[in-house]
Amino acid sequence: MSGTRLVVGPFNRVEGDLEVSLDIDDGAVQSARVNAPLYRGFETMLMGRPPSDALTLTPRICGICSISQSSAAVHALAAAGGHRPAPQGAAMAALIHAVENAADHLAHFNLFFMPDFTRPCYADRPWYDRTVERFKALEGAAPKQGIEARTALMHILGLLAGKWPHTLAIQPGGVTRAPGPRDKVRIMASLTAFRRFLEGVVFGGSLEEFAAIETPDALMAWDTGDVGLFLRIAADLDLDALGRGSGRYLSFGAYPMSSGHGFDPGLWAEGRLDPLDLSGLVEDLSHAWMLGETSHPATGQTLPDEEMRAEAYTWCKAPRLNGQTYEVGAIARQVVDGHPLARALAGGGVLARVAGRLLELARTQGLMEDLARGIEPGAAFMDPAPDVQSGTGAGLVEAARGALGHWVRVQDGRIACYQIIAPTTWNFSPRDARDVPGPLETALVGTPVAEGETTPVAVQHIVRSFDPCMVCTVH
Amino acid sequence: MNVLWLQTSGCGGCTMSVLCADAPNFFDLLDNAGVRILWHPALSVESGEEVIALLERIVRGDVPLDVLCVEGAIARGPRGTGRYQMLSGTGRSMFDWALELAPLAQHVVAVGSCAAFGGVSSAGGNPSDAAGLQYEGSHAGGILPPEFRGRAGLPVVNVAGCPTHPDWVTETLMLLASDALGPTDLDALARPRFYAEHLVHHGCPKNEFYEYKASATRLCEIGCMMEHLGCVGTQAVGDCNIRPWNGSGSCTRAGYPCISCTAPEFEEPKHAFTETPKVAGIPVGLPSDMPKAWFMALASLSKAATPERLSKNAVADRVEILPSPRKPRG
């Protein structure tokens, strides 16, 4: 195939709307453009409203990262008001958030990512029959077991957060419901059942043993459970080489609590860890259907270009930190947090991103259990925050898919400015004013495309390895 | 019965909610009821050209469409073009696709309040000019006219909620599959009566506090949230406290107010969501089918009779005073 352009869409098993344009020559992608084709305008919806309305509206940006959005809004408002939550309240908010992230990682693996290996183009591979039996979309055993385990895990959210998605339980002062002793044992019971599922079916072994893996060789030797099946596929198809990243990673730090973060914040580039400093952060609008100036989100605007000018190709702005793109997500968090396996996989492609997610799933189980064990049923779970009259604040959290930031300015008791940068805004950003493509656009270059492929399967693996959430991306 | 599911201008949260369907799981539940998913954007294997080919077969009539589920509002902007949401790979807006597909379906189901009424996608001045399928807010007529009927004769079935409860969706689909959902099974806003004939108030664990107007003053206190914290559970339709969410939850059970997410225009309460607007200290928006004077008389009477147990517990974050056991007889 030579000199052709492919427009790939509707791109499913990603959250929300995605279109990818590919220039193909010599059987490989020469350049890619990523379009987030849905604009709703949440940032402008919030203007002029009472600050607390952000807690109701921003979770509804996204049905899969709902608690992440809630948590970012909570932290932004707390920062604007100079308020700290009750420590036990912050710990419950972290537990609620960790349940969502764990459920998202599982849903990604079982429902979104693995079904691509059941496609007939792989019928001659030695792992094919087993993969179809396990992961066939809508019908395989793994999607059903996965949603059953996820449903049972989310009983913790029924208990602590009322419902999922779209809870109002997390507030700047803590959480609205104080768990008692019976909630504590019930939460532990749900977590133990989830552990049994992860160890028995997903990993086929001890989560602690998986989390203790330090080298890619030891990883590839893990041969049990659905994870073992994936690693067999990854070795056969060389998924480490497919869709490699820049090796620059960003994490805002997951689960901020009075005792510190569950997973630490920071920047990783050129094999070095630096503290998180967002003073050099801007959103570039050169290739987005947005008007206004390139600016820091604390002073940014959202003015859609109704003309949809020809030189732009997406509603997604392009975040750049000190002029550079950064990849975010589970692998970024685990690299920044200093996990030896993640560090060894840094800069890798599909394998690194998926292994980073599995590693984090194993580690998050322990984190959730620690948080549940730490519940003090007699403590205060809320230190009510006064309404914010004026102030500015940033809420920096980690969604399953990576760094999520809300920047708010309150004036005279009303929201005067609200800007959001979501994980996939980083990963699926368009080109910037210097024509530097975003992380996915870069990762897609060189991807092999077989003769006659209209929706290249390798492209699909790469796109889904990022676990994109398009509804968050533009918001 | 086959189902084509489209995600239009929304958050995808109703799909995420429906996957929490409990025992049996969502896939088995539909399969057992003879409901086959033609394509779902989060769940099916097909991507790209395979999907476009399916849509074309439906348009040509080669694949009869039993149910079109639409999740999300329809973006009509900018300037009526619908280009705020293009169905990727097709060069056409979702607005355009929805208008083409809806008349082909035996039934059209609006999954969630965005698809039903516009919902949160139409909040705050409605930047994308979003509307529901057959309603724009509380006004009849969305992108489809009020007189629109699916081929089988029903208006768009509005499984409203933000998000919808998994059972509201699965039971609606199972009723349609067994030809057991008729026009009289829908309320005045075309929501299935099986959940819309209840109020969120029904079964709310704060009922005793409500009876005595023993009110929480801050989120985290366990009293009734109607007087101060914006709760409209006495007016909101939904069986949220009769059949709980995610095992045992509901908004009010978790200590935050019902914001009536099953209703049109809930996204614009005209006051902060978690505050009750008052006139001269009296909450506005009292139960809609009760004479106001009677409500006030009963409220002042019950307030005067509030047991100390309730007035103290109402402003605590957990039960402090227990119900007293009956004194032993004799």
Side-chain angles (χ1 to χ4, degrees):
Chain A
M1 187 182 293
S2 69
T4 53
R5 169 165 283 195
L6 276 182
V7 178
V8 183
F11 215 118
N12 73 325
R13 280 175 290 113
V14 301
E15 189 59 46
D17 298 70
L18 169 68
E19 184 175 84
V20 181
S21 299
L22 305 167
D23 286 327
I24 295 163
D25 213 347
D26 296 333
V29 173
Q30 302 302 315
S31 78
R33 286 180 181 235
V34 182
N35 174 11
L38 167 65
Y39 169 79
R40 288 168 297 163
F42 270 81
E43 294 154 325
T44 51
M45 288 177 196
L46 289 163
M47 302 289 276
R49 296 182 84 115
S52 65
D53 277 11
L55 304 177
T56 296
L57 292 176
T58 62
R60 289 171 165 87
I61 288 170
C62 176
I64 199 164
C65 322
S66 173
I67 287 167
S68 301
Q69 295 286 355
S70 172
S71 179
V74 158
H75 284 280
L77 292 186
H83 189 81
R84 284 182 179 282
Q88 276 281 302
M92 283 312 91
L95 176 56
I96 291 167
H97 194 176
V99 168
E100 175 176 275
N101 285 350
D104 279 8
H105 284 349
L106 177 65
H108 177 264
F109 188 75
N110 279 23
L111 297 177
F112 299 165
F113 179 73
M114 288 297 284
D116 276 324
F117 301 104
T118 69
R119 290 179 173 280
C121 63
Y122 292 127
D124 64 341
R125 313 313 296 181
W127 40 261
Y128 181 73
D129 290 345
R130 175 75 182 146
T131 309
V132 170
E133 180 193 325
R134 286 295 299 156
F135 287 99
K136 187 160 195 242
L138 301 167
E139 293 166 29
K144 289 180 187 177
Q145 291 168 325
I147 60 171
E148 282 176 357
R150 174 181 173 278
T151 297
L153 176 69
M154 286 202 174
H155 285 188
I156 296 173
L157 299 184
L159 208 57
L160 289 176
K163 69 179 200 291
W164 183 87
H166 305 341
T167 179
L168 258 173
I170 310 175
Q171 295 282 321
V175 290
T176 56
R177 185 172 180 279
R182 86 101 187 155
D183 300 292
K184 184 172 172 173
V185 293
R186 177 57 63 184
I187 289 164
M188 279 308 298
S190 295
L191 287 175
T192 306
F194 192 62
R195 171 182 281 273
R196 189 160 292 145
F197 168 72
L198 291 180
E199 295 194 328
V201 178
V202 178
F203 289 88
S206 149
L207 297 180
E208 281 67 26
E209 277 178 35
F210 189 83
I213 293 174
E214 296 192 353
T215 66
D217 285 347
L219 173 71
M220 299 315 283
W222 186 278
D223 59 0
T224 50
D226 290 335
V227 170
L229 177 61
F230 161 68
L231 292 168
R232 235 177 108 197
I233 296 170
D236 184 40
L237 301 180
D238 196 10
L239 295 183
D240 183 47
L242 191 68
R244 290 185 67 83
S246 65
R248 278 191 306 280
Y249 296 112
L250 161 72
S251 170
F252 288 165
Y255 316 122
M257 289 174 279
S258 53
S259 53
H261 285 87
F263 299 125
D264 283 340
L267 294 174
W268 179 265
E270 318 296 337
R272 198 182 77 232
L273 185 68
D274 280 310
L276 184 69
D277 174 358
L278 298 180
S279 55
L281 171 63
V282 294
E283 283 197 289
D284 179 292
L285 310 180
S286 59
H287 290 77
W289 291 308
M290 290 287 164
L291 305 174
E293 299 297 313
T294 289
S295 53
H296 189 278
T299 55
Q301 286 178 294
T302 298
L303 303 167
D305 175 11
E306 294 190 348
E307 301 296 331
M308 298 173 77
R309 64 188 188 279
E311 60 271 30
Y313 56 91
T314 175
W315 297 106
C316 180
K317 299 175 183 176
R320 297 289 187 265
L321 181 58
N322 304 322
Q324 289 194 299
T325 61
Y326 277 84
E327 186 175 326
V328 301
I331 184 67
R333 267 191 300 276
Q334 295 304 318
V335 166
V336 167
D337 195 57
H339 193 281
L341 175 63
R343 291 254 169 113
L345 292 170
V350 171
L351 170 69
R353 293 184 196 102
V354 176
R357 209 167 281 120
L358 294 169
L359 172 63
E360 184 167 272
L361 181 57
R363 293 185 77 194
T364 302
Q365 175 69 28
L367 192 140
M368 292 190 293
E369 288 167 354
D370 287 346
L371 287 167
R373 273 191 289 268
I375 294 174
E376 297 168 23
F381 287 84
M382 178 83 87
D383 177 1
D387 288 340
V388 184
Q389 288 307 312
S390 68
T392 58
L396 306 177
V397 301
E398 284 285 321
R401 296 155 187 80
L404 169 66
H406 286 197
W407 286 262
V408 65
R409 182 164 62 85
V410 180
Q411 206 174 320
D412 302 323
R414 298 277 155 171
I415 294 171
C417 181
Y418 208 105
Q419 289 286 302
I420 297 162
I421 302 181
T424 311
T425 321
W426 286 96
N427 288 338
F428 284 23
S429 70
R431 284 155 169 72
D432 58 29
R434 293 184 301 141
D435 223 32
V436 175
L440 172 66
E441 292 179 336
T442 306
L444 285 173
V445 173
T447 305
V449 177
E451 192 70 36
E453 272 193 308
T454 51
T455 310
V457 70
V459 167
Q460 298 192 54
H461 297 325
I462 296 169
V463 166
R464 294 198 180 94
S465 75
F466 283 90
D467 190 10
C469 178
M470 305 309 295
V471 288
C472 280
T473 301
V474 176
H475 35 268
Chain B
M1 187 179 87
N2 68 33
V3 175
L4 174 71
W5 192 298
L6 295 181
Q7 288 181 328
T8 49
S9 179
C11 74
C14 290
T15 285
M16 286 297 119
S17 180
V18 88
L19 288 178
C20 297
D22 232 332
N25 67 65
F26 177 65
F27 299 136
D28 284 339
L29 191 64
L30 294 190
D31 195 34
N32 298 348
V35 179
R36 190 169 68 86
I37 295 179
L38 275 177
W39 189 71
H40 185 297
L43 305 171
S44 299
V45 75
E46 295 85 359
S47 224
E49 204 157 79
E50 302 154 325
V51 185
I52 297 171
L54 170 67
L55 296 178
E56 285 169 353
R57 284 201 299 278
I58 292 170
V59 169
R60 282 200 308 267
D62 297 348
V63 175
L65 180 57
D66 296 323
V67 178
L68 174 67
C69 282
V70 176
E71 176 187 359
I74 306 296
R76 295 172 301 188
R79 295 189 215 108
T81 62
R83 295 179 77 197
Y84 279 141
Q85 188 186 22
M86 302 297 280
L87 178 58
S88 52
T90 71
R92 287 173 65 187
S93 69
M94 216 40 127
F95 185 19
D96 205 23
W97 275 108
L99 287 175
E100 171 137 30
L101 291 168
L104 304 176
Q106 293 294 317
H107 299 288
V108 180
V109 176
V111 180
S113 292
C114 290
F117 309 122
V120 165
S121 291
S122 66
N126 198 357
S128 66
D129 194 18
L133 288 175
Q134 206 170 5
Y135 280 86
E136 183 162 5
S138 51
H139 300 283
I143 65 154
L144 301 169
E147 57 277 11
F148 171 85
R149 294 292 178 271
R151 291 192 161 190
L154 288 178
V156 174
V157 178
N158 287 327
V159 190
C162 187
T164 48
H165 191 290
D167 299 352
W168 299 347
V169 179
T170 56
E171 289 172 13
T172 298
L173 291 176
M174 289 190 289
L175 286 168
L176 289 173
S178 49
D179 205 15
L181 195 79
T184 55
D185 298 313
L186 304 175
D187 80 351
L189 292 166
R191 298 173 294 199
R193 273 188 55 176
F194 68 81
Y195 78 90
E197 65 191 12
H198 300 284
L199 294 172
V200 172
H201 184 57
H202 299 167
C204 176
K206 295 173 189 294
N207 275 174
E208 196 191 21
F209 293 109
Y210 173 83
E211 287 161 19
Y212 289 99
K213 300 289 160 289
S215 297
T217 58
R218 301 187 296 196
L219 293 171
C220 77
E221 297 171 351
I222 62 176
C224 176
M225 296 180 288
M226 177 199 179
E227 189 177 356
H228 303 302
L229 298 172
C231 187
V232 288
T234 54
Q235 303 154 64
V237 308
D239 55 5
C240 303
N241 278 308
I242 297 170
R243 73 164 113 211
W245 293 69
N246 302 102
S248 62
S250 78
C251 297
T252 60
R253 281 165 198 233
Y256 56 91
C258 169
I259 57 173
S260 195
C261 71
T262 53
E265 300 173 18
F266 85 95
E267 67 280 359
E268 290 299 336
K270 315 286 184 211
H271 55 82
F273 283 104
T274 49
E275 281 173 26
T276 304
K278 294 173 193 171
V279 173
I282 298 164
V284 298
L286 299 174
S288 50
D289 44 9
M290 184 178 183
K292 201 171 239 180
W294 273 106
F295 183 88
M296 297 307 300
L298 282 174
S300 61
L301 202 61
S302 59
K303 257 196 172 173
T306 307
E308 189 190 18
R309 174 173 59 85
L310 293 176
S311 54
K312 289 232 162 114
N313 286 342
V315 292
D317 60 0
R318 67 205 80 199
V319 171
E320 289 188 346
I321 302 179
L322 275 63
S324 20
R326 186 179 285 278
K327 290 196 179 72
R329 287 183 194 156

